[in-house]
Amino acid sequence: MPKLWNDTITAHRQAVREALLDTTASLVAENGLASVTMTQIAEQAGIGRATLYKYFPDVESIMRAWHERRVGGHLQQMAEIVERGGGVEQRLEKVLSTYAMIDHEHHRGELVAVLHQGSHVGHAQAHLHELVRMLLVEGAEAGVVRSDVPADELTRYSLAALSAASSLRSKAAVRRLVTVTLSGLRAQAEGDR
């Protein structure tokens, strides 16, 4: 088969897959995971059930794929913050704020248990840990992040503290949590030691 034909088929399959993810997420948000069927998804997406089953075996697998795409997007967003340049303090604050807001906005409801089963979650957590750790190392070298505690431990502290964002009621509370977490990371002035 010519390369152009292969590229067209691949692009079409990817477009169908993306449409299935979006359609399913919309139906689940509207009706709840338990009430969404493969038949509904196929009808809403405008494809046959047999075609749908060529892509996914069940609703849960579609939602896991959707979640994997979403998590990848969040990681990309945070990686772009790190790579943008600028002061390490600002990048660290932006990454931690972004993570906390994502946790606050997206880790509620019935879907959490289903979506956090995939191996992609462990990979994403490891990637996030490394992003934050690298920023903390850079911050310690610049003298703005404390150096009396290893960067790995500070990373675990930060991410564990910010995981409380999922249970907070407001964005203002999340911002306060980020501020308190950042305070614990700051290098102490000579007179404060």
Side-chain angles (χ1 to χ4, degrees), residues 80-164:
E80 288 171 3
I81 293 167
V82 172
E83 294 168 4
R84 260 186 223 138
V88 66
E89 284 180 285
Q90 291 79 24
R91 289 182 290 133
L92 180 61
E93 181 178 357
K94 184 69 174 164
V95 165
L96 295 183
S97 294
T98 300
Y99 170 70
M101 285 299 177
I102 290 167
D103 207 34
H104 172 70
E105 294 169 358
H106 301 294
H107 286 120
R108 294 188 182 136
E110 67 176 320
L111 290 177
V112 173
V114 172
L115 299 179
H116 284 233
Q117 293 175 5
S119 62
H120 72 281
V121 174
H123 296 299
Q125 288 170 340
H127 188 89
L128 175 62
H129 181 94
E130 186 57 22
L131 274 176
V132 173
R133 191 190 70 74
M134 287 176 10
L135 279 172
L136 292 171
V137 167
E138 183 182 342
E141 290 170 356
V144 296
V145 170
R146 62 188 312 150
S147 59
D148 60 330
V149 177
D152 190 59
E153 291 175 24
L154 286 177
T155 303
R156 291 177 194 281
Y157 155 77
S158 302
L159 297 178
L162 294 174
S163 69

Side-chain angles (χ1 to χ4, degrees), residues 157 161-162 173-186:
Y157 155 77
L162 294 174
V174 174
R175 286 190 289 275
R176 288 190 296 273
L177 178 64
V178 171
T179 299
V180 169
T181 304
L182 287 166
S183 294
L185 297 174
R186 286 198 179 86

